[in-house]
Amino acid sequence: MSENKFYLRMEGISKAFPGVQALKDVNFYVARGEIHALVGENGAGKTTLMKILTGALSMDSGSVSLKGSHVEINTPTDAQQLGISMIHQELSLIPNLTVGQNIYLGREPRWKISAFIDWNRLYTDSQELLSQLDVDVDARAEVGSLSIAQQQMVEVAKAISLNADLIAMDEPTSSLTDRETEVLFDTMRSFKKRGISIIFISHRLEEVFEISDWVTVLRDGSLIGSEPIKDLDEERVVQMMVGRELGEMYPKGDVQRRGVILEVNNLHDGRELSGVSLELYSGEILGVAGLAGAGRTALAETIFGVRPAITGDIELDGSPVKINSPGEAIRLGMGLVPEDRKQQGLFLNRAIRENIVISALGKLSRFSFINFSKADKLAREFAVKLDIRTPSLRQLVRNLSGGNQQKVVIARWLTLNPRVLILDEPTRGIDVGTKVEIHALMNQLAEGGVGVLMVSSDLPEVLGVSDRILVMREGKVVSEFSREHATQDNIMHAATGGKVNSDK
Ligand SMILES: Nc1ncnc2c1ncn2[C@@H]1O[C@H](COP(=O)(O)OP(=O)(O)OP(=O)(O)O)[C@@H](O)[C@H]1O
Ligand SMILES: [Mg+2]
């Protein structure tokens, strides 16, 4: 095999952060026109490797070559000039600029004679890019007004507009719907035909197997293997990732449901919800499925007081309650793990420990002194339960890997011992091993009598975890299925408005 077969060669890459060896002597080779999946558990080093490739981080040792020649990539501009672009795991768009401004930031098209920005061209070109991607977003809209999925697609449009030969996509699909993912995959396939290489990071192995030609697995910063997809199956990849056999993906105990703990009647938020009613029982996991825009997040947020309800009643344990803010919801014994954990959940410049216990602090302080040893114990307990990978709980959350940051938010809500726990996309961006842990924790909570309401776009998860499933469409609950009768087909059917046989 000739050395130049590879478009990209990264060799002997090492990188240490205080207390963590994030990459240990990693070799990574990508061929031209190949879709190359990079997989591994949360904290395995995937993002670090891509940041080194794209000049966002420097390496301690190692070398990089492109098309057979050694290259020095010290800044993101170096990478761009070499035809390498990256779609970041944490969205890096500027919320108060428009979509078009974000796409062409720093390289705005200009009038030939004057140096003024050609706004018309900027917006026409961006709109064209978006429509190529089948994204229904106005290029003149402010990015801050878009959903996370839409923002993700804007990132994709931006990467494409850079005309790169190599695109690193760090979990581009984690907040996309199936339909949006398919559109992205079509785009990736057409890139491939044009000889563009793509590095694809995802925790969804079905996707990895659908789209990739080659898979490289990292574990704890080391290269575990790199093989063509045709020589692998999911089980083997999981084994390489976690280094052990994994238990049942959806452990499900025999939980007895008790009385109704939360009742919602005819809830409207004046925008996305048009009359939602539901009952959540103590001891059950109620799954809420539906397409993006069906109102699932609106439902979670309206119940929890994040958005005001226009009309509708909520009863908790049989008593009517008014929930006008998340603070009130928390006082009533409710918790919400939000979908957009990065924006709504974390204090990035605070320690992991503080982030975990911050909501529980009220319970841990007496005479307004914080009981630090209790706080420490609590933080440690949940860090272990959720397998948060870090050298120290004093580490800033900013320095955690994406998936580990998510675990911190989940841990925080669990410390509150809520009676009703709402989880919006609880395992998005979470690795397979921890997914199992989170599902097990949800079961434990239900066994302990908590009512768990889980919104998820991951159908196998909805089917595997829920005792009962509601399907939402256009701001309403349109179907209900028992665990026994729910299938991927009848849920999708209900979600898209086809005819289905539901239990009701
Ligand atoms: N700036 C930083 N300071 C300190 N430690 C860091 C920093 N960035 C990353 N790390 C650590 O390096 C390790 C690798 O992190 P990385 O973000 O590369 O993981 P990942 O494979 O992308 O995980 P995920 O699937 O959760 O996104 C982790 O232990 C992480 O905590
Ligand atoms: Mg990452």
Side-chain angles (χ1 to χ4, degrees):
M1 230 184 279
S2 103
E3 294 264 306
N4 289 333
K5 172 178 175 281
F6 297 110
Y7 185 78
L8 167 73
R9 304 170 67 92
M10 296 180 82
E11 295 187 307
I13 311 288
S14 294
K15 174 75 183 176
F17 293 110
V20 198
Q21 187 68 39
L23 292 171
K24 298 169 200 155
D25 200 19
V26 169
N27 294 339
F28 183 58
Y29 305 112
V30 179
R32 192 175 165 75
E34 165 179 272
I35 300 180
H36 193 125
L38 181 59
V39 301
E41 291 186 292
N42 296 133
K46 306 176 296 291
T47 298
T48 303
L49 188 64
M50 290 303 101
K51 284 189 172 165
I52 288 172
L53 172 65
T54 54
L57 273 178
S58 62
M59 55 193 166
D60 298 341
S61 57
S63 66
V64 180
S65 69
L66 270 183
K67 294 183 265 187
S69 320
H70 176 80
V71 289
E72 290 286 340
I73 304 174
N74 297 315
T75 64
T77 316
D78 290 349
Q80 255 180 45
Q81 278 163 359
L82 290 165
I84 304 174
S85 74
M86 175 153 174
I87 298 174
H88 288 271
Q89 181 172 16
E90 306 92 24
L91 297 180
S92 55
L93 302 173
I94 302 170
N96 53 1
L97 296 185
T98 63
V99 170
Q101 283 174 312
N102 267 284
I103 293 178
Y104 286 105
L105 194 66
R107 2 171 236 120
E108 293 85 356
R110 306 208 174 237
W111 291 100
K112 279 211 186 71
I113 5 177
S114 66
F116 291 113
I117 295 177
D118 183 346
W119 291 105
N120 261 330
R121 205 168 108 215
L122 182 141
Y123 285 117
T124 328
D125 289 358
S126 337
Q127 201 67 61
E128 169 62 29
L129 273 170
L130 293 165
S131 65
Q132 263 176 43
L133 286 170
D134 212 358
V135 181
D136 184 19
V137 164
D138 182 356
R140 291 171 195 267
E142 257 190 30
V143 158
S145 70
L146 306 183
S147 71
I148 318 175
Q150 289 171 325
Q151 293 188 29
Q152 186 67 267
M153 292 310 279
V154 174
E155 287 259 357
V156 174
K158 182 172 179 173
I160 290 170
S161 73
L162 288 164
N163 282 325
D165 299 316
L166 176 67
I167 306 180
M169 302 187 168
D170 198 351
E171 296 192 37
T173 58
S174 66
S175 52
L176 300 187
T177 61
D178 290 350
R179 161 106 193 87
E180 290 164 327
T181 300
E182 277 314 316
V183 173
L184 178 64
F185 282 4
D186 284 344
T187 315
M188 287 164 69
R189 289 185 191 105
S190 75
F191 284 175
K192 185 176 146 167
K193 281 204 197 104
R194 283 156 45 191
I196 296 171
S197 309
I198 296 171
I199 302 165
F200 175 64
I201 300 180
S202 172
H203 286 290
R204 297 184 183 158
L205 289 181
E206 321 87 76
E207 292 181 356
V208 166
F209 277 84
E210 179 182 343
I211 192 81
S212 320
D213 304 303
W214 207 276
V215 181
T216 292
V217 182
L218 296 180
R219 182 165 79 229
D220 291 334
S222 298
L223 173 71
I224 299 300
S226 187
E227 296 183 33
I229 195 91
K230 62 174 171 43
D231 296 349
L232 294 165
D233 58 27
E234 277 196 30
E235 203 179 335
R236 175 77 192 118
V237 172
V238 169
Q239 219 179 41
M240 289 163 83
M241 282 167 60
V242 302
R244 59 191 145 92
E245 297 273 352
L246 211 59
E248 172 81 77
M249 192 68 212
Y250 302 110
K252 191 76 197 159
D254 219 359
V255 183
Q256 285 305 312
R257 81 173 191 194
R258 300 157 215 180
V260 172
I261 189 161
L262 174 76
E263 191 174 333
V264 172
N265 277 312
N266 197 25
L267 200 63
H268 286 259
D269 69 344
R271 290 191 292 162
E272 287 171 67
L273 299 182
S274 39
V276 175
S277 302
L278 62 85
E279 286 176 336
L280 173 69
Y281 289 79
S282 159
E284 82 169 341
I285 299 176
L286 178 61
V288 182
L291 303 178
R296 296 167 305 165
T297 293
L299 173 65
E301 292 187 349
T302 310
I303 295 176
F304 200 68
V306 178
R307 333 177 165 206
I310 305 294
T311 52
D313 311 306
I314 298 179
E315 286 185 9
L316 205 61
D317 279 330
S319 321
V321 289
K322 278 268 167 272
I323 303 173
N324 294 312
S325 70
E328 286 175 31
I330 292 169
R331 271 192 297 281
L332 289 165
M334 297 171 62
L336 168 70
V337 175
E339 173 186 34
D340 184 1
R341 296 190 258 274
K342 193 70 184 261
Q343 307 236 337
Q344 301 171 9
L346 288 168
F347 301 94
L348 292 174
N349 290 320
R350 299 276 198 100
I352 298 167
R353 181 178 60 179
E354 291 169 64
N355 269 278
I356 294 180
V357 301
I358 201 156
S359 302
L361 277 183
K363 294 185 182 167
L364 297 173
S365 53
R366 272 176 60 199
F367 313 112
S368 77
F369 288 108
I370 295 166
N371 184 333
F372 279 109
S373 76
K374 261 202 185 141
D376 227 35
K377 198 163 151 262
L378 192 67
R380 211 165 318 118
E381 179 191 331
F382 282 92
V384 169
K385 268 193 185 152
L386 290 165
D387 195 17
I388 295 172
R389 302 274 174 95
T390 173
S392 157
L393 292 178
R394 298 198 183 151
Q395 178 71 259
L396 300 186
V397 163
R398 175 178 296 290
N399 294 335
L400 285 179
S401 78
N404 281 301
Q405 291 186 350
Q406 309 220 25
K407 295 182 196 173
V408 170
V409 183
I410 298 176
R412 179 192 306 156
W413 288 107
L414 297 180
T415 61
L416 283 176
N417 277 324
R419 290 184 293 159
V420 170
L421 181 61
I422 306 172
L423 301 140
D424 197 353
E425 306 289 356
T427 63
R428 170 183 290 170
I430 302 267
D431 68 52
V432 276
T434 310
K435 240 179 166 171
V436 177
E437 302 298 325
I438 290 177
H439 293 153
L441 267 168
M442 288 166 63
N443 277 321
Q444 269 175 35
L445 290 171
E447 274 164 39
V450 175
V452 179
L453 184 74
M454 176 190 72
V455 171
S456 172
S457 304
D458 182 345
L459 274 185
E461 174 172 68
V462 171
L463 290 165
V465 174
S466 317
D467 296 294
R468 205 156 52 92
I469 296 163
L470 303 180
V471 182
M472 288 185 70
R473 177 160 46 87
E474 291 166 12
K476 287 197 179 81
V477 172
V478 290
S479 292
E480 173 180 340
F481 297 100
S482 65
R483 181 175 176 75
E484 298 73 48
H485 292 108
T487 64
Q488 205 138 333
D489 277 352
N490 58 21
I491 291 178
M492 276 321 285
H493 229 79
T496 53
K499 284 211 166 60
V500 273
N501 302 315
S502 86
D503 287 2
K504 269 196 172 167

